[in-house]
Amino acid sequence: MNRVSSNLGNNNMIFHMRNRELEMSNKQNQMASQQRIQQLRDDPVAAAHSTRLQSYQTRLQRYEKNSHSALDAHRYTEGQLRHGVEVFQRVRELAVQGAHGVYSEQDLQQMAVEVDELLREMVAVANTRDGKGKAVFGGARSDNLPFQTATGNVPGAAKELITEVRYTGDIIRNMAEVAEGVHMPLNFPGNEVFWAENQQVFSTVDAAEYQVPANSVISLQGQEIELQEGDSVYAVMAKINDAGAGLRARLDPVQNSMVLETTSPQQLWVEDRNGGTVLQDLGIVGSPDDRPPHNLSPTAEVFGGSAFDMVINLRDTLLEGRSFEVGGAGLRGIDDAMNRMLGELGRLGAQSTRLEMGADKLSNDRLTVGEWNSRKVDLDMAEAITELKRLESTHRAALSTSARIMQTTLLDFLR
């Protein structure tokens, strides 16, 4: 026989009432947050899936933002390069006119004056800064102007003119991750964009019997190559040629010295690393205290110039009235420099198109992932409202029933 105390019904009623109030509170919290899952124990599997989806969606948002930043940088750089190409087209027109042979020396000198002004405009383009005050064509060293000019006396000129334009930036490309494992450049080093010819360095040191004295590291165009003690000059050249750094190495058959040449128009950027002296021993670089690209050995012969060198050469040739050379080496140098800039412009356009398409894809993917996550955690408001109304109705009915069944007496107040 079970004994039923006088408080059992009251306690049971209070217990179920509180449970119903808890259900109503949880449902109200879900409606306020519009999230079906308030705690992990509500649906552990869905919560785990939602965590992964939210993480992926955050990465997609970052990739999309990076894509738009890279696209803005590309468009700004493309605009500067287009202006540079227009300047070079005008320089080429003057070179073609000067090569006709029908103009007097005074006419050629007037053309040289305009070429010199166009040279200064090209230097201004190469030293362009973006909206953040960073040099566009300076590599990672973007706080300072990447191209420095030197002036001097030039035969036929009434004042000092620009005689040299030196690159003082670096070759580091700032990269932005625009997809999983996919990176796109944000900047373009000026010693590639504004270069006209393949650069060559001919050492004067006999290297036929050379061997690497100790384990060393050399850097070519920013790519490090490890050398082992005892490597011959032929092993060194093989490692350089197989590194894919955009350089070719060979042995000069006359002097048995090393020759380095870029495979595309750009400036050589070579140095010894970690205290090694291999390139210095081979006569390629000079003092280890000098930084690239101005660290080439003073005894080496260097060929291949920049776009500015081509314009300077054309200007000086016009000043001296040598129309035949204007149509020869002068015009060829201008064409080489303009072809290089047009190539960079085409590459910029292709990358910009890729970034636009990638950004659109990322936007669509982000929306799709958001829909997947919504199905996992979002609340069906119509269903939630119906459920809340059901809980409220049953709660009121329970309160009304308990009030009729559990009548209060004087003893309830005396207890």
Side-chain angles (χ1 to χ4, degrees):
M1 178 177 180
N2 295 329
R3 179 178 179 273
V4 179
S5 67
S6 58
N7 291 330
L8 181 60
N10 185 33
N11 292 338
N12 287 339
M13 185 65 68
I14 293 175
F15 172 78
H16 291 293
M17 289 293 183
R18 288 178 177 175
N19 279 345
R20 187 55 53 86
E21 290 174 356
L22 179 61
E23 291 178 9
M24 293 173 60
S25 176
N26 290 336
K27 189 61 65 176
Q28 289 172 346
N29 290 336
Q30 289 178 346
M31 295 176 64
S33 63
Q34 299 184 5
Q35 297 290 318
R36 181 175 61 85
I37 301 175
Q38 297 297 307
Q39 297 178 353
L40 292 179
R41 63 172 175 265
D42 293 342
D43 192 340
V45 176
H49 284 295
S50 176
T51 300
R52 287 193 290 269
L53 290 173
Q54 289 179 28
S55 176
Y56 184 44
Q57 190 175 29
T58 300
R59 293 201 304 275
L60 291 176
Q61 290 175 345
R62 172 53 58 185
Y63 295 151
E64 186 179 1
K65 183 177 180 180
N66 291 346
S67 296
H68 287 299
S69 297
L71 187 58
D72 291 340
H74 279 62
R75 286 172 175 170
Y76 185 78
T77 304
E78 184 178 353
Q80 300 303 317
L81 271 182
R82 287 186 183 278
H83 179 60
V85 170
E86 292 174 358
V87 173
F88 255 87
Q89 286 174 340
R90 177 55 184 164
V91 172
R92 190 180 189 283
E93 291 174 4
L94 293 172
V96 172
Q97 290 179 6
H100 284 168
V102 297
Y103 294 96
S104 65
E105 290 189 5
Q106 185 177 3
D107 293 333
L108 294 179
Q109 289 177 352
Q110 294 300 320
M111 294 179 188
V113 172
E114 183 175 352
V115 170
D116 185 71
E117 292 299 324
L118 294 173
L119 170 63
R120 297 177 184 273
E121 179 63 18
M122 280 302 305
V123 174
V125 171
N127 285 330
T128 298
R129 295 181 182 272
D130 59 16
K132 299 178 182 178
K134 302 295 184 180
V136 175
F137 300 107
R141 302 186 64 186
S142 56
D143 292 332
N144 301 319
L145 295 179
F147 290 92
Q148 302 293 330
T149 60
T151 59
N153 295 321
V154 178
K159 61 178 183 179
E160 287 191 348
L161 302 178
I162 295 175
T163 57
E164 183 183 12
V165 180
R166 292 167 59 92
Y167 182 67
T168 60
D170 59 27
I171 59 173
I172 298 176
R173 295 180 183 269
N174 297 323
M175 308 296 288
E177 189 174 11
V178 298
E180 199 74 36
V182 179
H183 297 79
M184 295 290 285
L186 295 175
N187 63 325
F188 300 86
N191 65 341
E192 294 185 18
V193 177
F194 299 101
W195 208 258
E197 302 171 321
N198 294 0
Q199 191 171 32
Q200 298 175 325
V201 176
F202 287 79
S203 171
T204 57
V205 176
D206 189 334
E209 304 298 329
Y210 177 79
Q211 289 186 343
V212 176
N215 293 345
S216 306
V217 177
I218 59 176
S219 176
L220 305 177
Q221 306 304 101
Q223 182 171 334
E224 292 188 349
I225 300 175
E226 295 183 358
L227 304 176
Q228 304 298 321
E229 180 180 354
D231 282 350
S232 66
V233 67
Y234 300 100
V236 173
M237 292 189 298
K239 290 182 178 181
I240 292 175
N241 293 333
D242 294 339
L247 292 180
R248 284 196 303 264
R250 68 178 189 274
L251 205 63
D252 183 82
V254 178
Q255 302 187 65
N256 288 327
S257 59
M258 179 179 282
V259 180
L260 286 182
E261 179 183 3
T262 62
T263 57
S264 62
Q266 58 181 310
Q267 192 176 30
L268 276 167
W269 198 280
V270 295
E271 60 181 326
D272 287 308
R273 289 286 182 88
N274 302 333
T277 60
V278 174
L279 294 177
Q280 186 177 1
D281 296 340
L282 292 172
I284 299 296
V285 301
S287 172
D289 297 330
D290 297 332
R291 63 177 296 272
H294 309 296
N295 63 336
L296 299 179
S297 174
T299 62
E301 297 181 3
V302 182
F303 301 93
S306 67
F308 306 104
D309 295 331
M310 303 300 109
V311 179
I312 290 173
N313 177 66
L314 175 64
R315 181 203 62 194
D316 295 348
T317 305
L318 288 171
L319 284 173
E320 295 174 10
R322 294 177 289 161
S323 60
F324 178 78
E325 294 186 13
V326 169
L331 186 58
R332 179 186 60 80
I334 296 300
D335 284 341
D336 289 343
M338 192 162 66
N339 287 338
R340 176 61 173 175
M341 294 179 64
L342 287 171
E344 290 293 325
L345 193 60
R347 191 189 338 174
L348 264 174
Q351 291 180 353
S352 297
T353 302
R354 178 184 176 184
L355 285 169
E356 288 179 356
M357 298 177 66
D360 292 340
K361 178 180 180 300
L362 288 169
S363 178
N364 294 332
D365 291 348
R366 182 169 53 84
L367 293 175
T368 301
V369 173
E371 291 177 0
W372 292 349
N373 185 59
S374 177
R375 296 192 190 103
K376 297 291 183 182
V377 299
D378 283 359
L379 183 68
D380 186 336
M381 292 299 294
E383 181 182 347
I385 292 173
T386 302
E387 179 65 15
L388 181 61
K389 290 298 183 182
R390 183 188 68 79
L391 291 173
E392 290 176 348
S393 299
T394 55
H395 187 60
R396 283 195 298 268
L399 288 175
S400 176
T401 302
S402 62
R404 289 195 298 268
I405 294 176
M406 303 177 62
Q407 297 289 337
T408 57
T409 64
L410 180 59
L411 292 177
D412 294 317
F413 295 98
L414 293 178
R415 282 187 299 196

